[in-house]
Amino acid sequence: MSSEATPPPLRASEAREAAAAFVAKLNPAPSARAVQNLVLLSSELVTNAIRYAGGVTALSFGADQGALHVRVVDPSPAHPQCRVPDLTGRTGGFGWPMVLRLASSVTVRRHGSQGKTILATLAR
């Protein structure tokens, strides 16, 4: 298993860059679709943590023979919620459902009142 922690991103673009840099080092390389999905998952999880959970306290990536993983830690113990998407684009509501569709599994582990870790896994 390959894994890598990165500095906590302040913007979703930093998470996308970190995800792309991580998969670029993998041998054998994941499929193009898996790379796109990991980049998108990373972006959405970090965006949600910044927007709703007070920021990102840790970001890491992992890979094994069959899967890619992204782990985002934030300071809020609140579980992510599905909301009705705002089709006008003002308030979002698309990110969490997208995460649930793209990932083969998503786990949310609370750390008491100290926040949570979200681990999303997808096929390599």
Side-chain angles (χ1 to χ4, degrees):
M1 170 132 168
S2 175
S3 64
E4 182 175 293
T6 66
L10 300 175
R11 294 180 297 279
S13 61
E14 295 172 10
R16 291 190 298 272
E17 291 168 6
F22 173 74
V23 294
K25 299 174 200 169
L26 296 177
N27 187 13
S31 71
R33 182 182 182 117
V35 171
Q36 291 172 343
N37 287 345
L38 182 71
V39 169
L40 185 53
L41 277 170
S42 303
S43 183
E44 290 300 327
L45 288 171
V46 166
T47 296
N48 287 349
I50 291 168
R51 185 176 284 173
Y52 304 112
V56 176
T57 56
L59 173 65
S60 62
F61 300 95
D64 55 35
Q65 284 186 319
L68 300 174
H69 314 276
V70 56
R71 179 177 283 118
V72 176
V73 182
D74 67 53
S76 172
H79 194 286
Q81 299 294 312
C82 285
R83 298 181 297 119
V84 175
D86 178 359
L87 299 179
T88 67
R90 285 181 270 159
T91 61
F94 295 94
W96 187 242
M98 185 183 309
V99 166
L100 297 175
R101 276 193 310 275
L102 289 174
S104 56
S105 71
V106 178
T107 57
V108 179
R109 189 179 68 192
R110 288 186 48 188
H111 308 287
S113 62
Q114 303 302 309
K116 67 182 167 296
T117 299
I118 299 176
L119 173 64
T121 300
L122 61 134
R124 190 171 174 154

